[in-house]
Amino acid sequence: MIFKVYYQEDQIRNPKREDTKSLYIDAATEVEARALVAENTDHNIEFIEPLEGKFLEYEQENPDYKLTEFNK
């Protein structure tokens, strides 16, 4: 399943809505998606949203859509 992860770039600064970024990740569960991002980045995860059906199709139309892969 594809998840959209909303995050701040680091955990030191106070989160600001304007600085929220997102990435897309393929994982079996939301817990696995959170673990992958936490293990491979210093991001402060705000929210993880599962994407499927029309929601996934809409996101895939965005030119910035790209699945993030981490080396295991």
Side-chain angles (χ1 to χ4, degrees):
M1 175 173 250
I2 306 297
F3 293 92
K4 184 173 185 179
V5 180
Y6 297 89
Y7 67 92
Q8 299 286 318
E9 291 214 321
D10 62 48
Q11 297 182 11
I12 297 170
R13 296 180 63 198
N14 195 15
K16 291 188 179 136
R17 184 175 176 184
E18 296 81 16
D19 295 334
T20 298
K21 297 184 177 166
S22 62
L23 61 83
Y24 303 92
I25 191 165
D26 187 10
T29 65
E30 184 176 328
V31 173
E32 182 183 326
R34 182 176 294 277
L36 281 169
V37 174
E39 290 170 6
N40 292 286
T41 69
D42 291 329
H43 298 337
N44 181 11
I45 300 170
E46 292 182 13
F47 184 71
I48 299 178
E49 176 182 20
L51 297 176
E52 57 188 358
K54 297 283 184 190
F55 297 105
L56 178 57
E57 290 175 22
Y58 175 79
E59 292 290 343
Q60 288 173 330
E61 290 175 6
N62 183 341
D64 294 331
Y65 176 84
K66 180 182 141 204
L67 281 177
T68 300
E69 295 182 18
F70 299 109
N71 294 331
K72 297 181 181 180

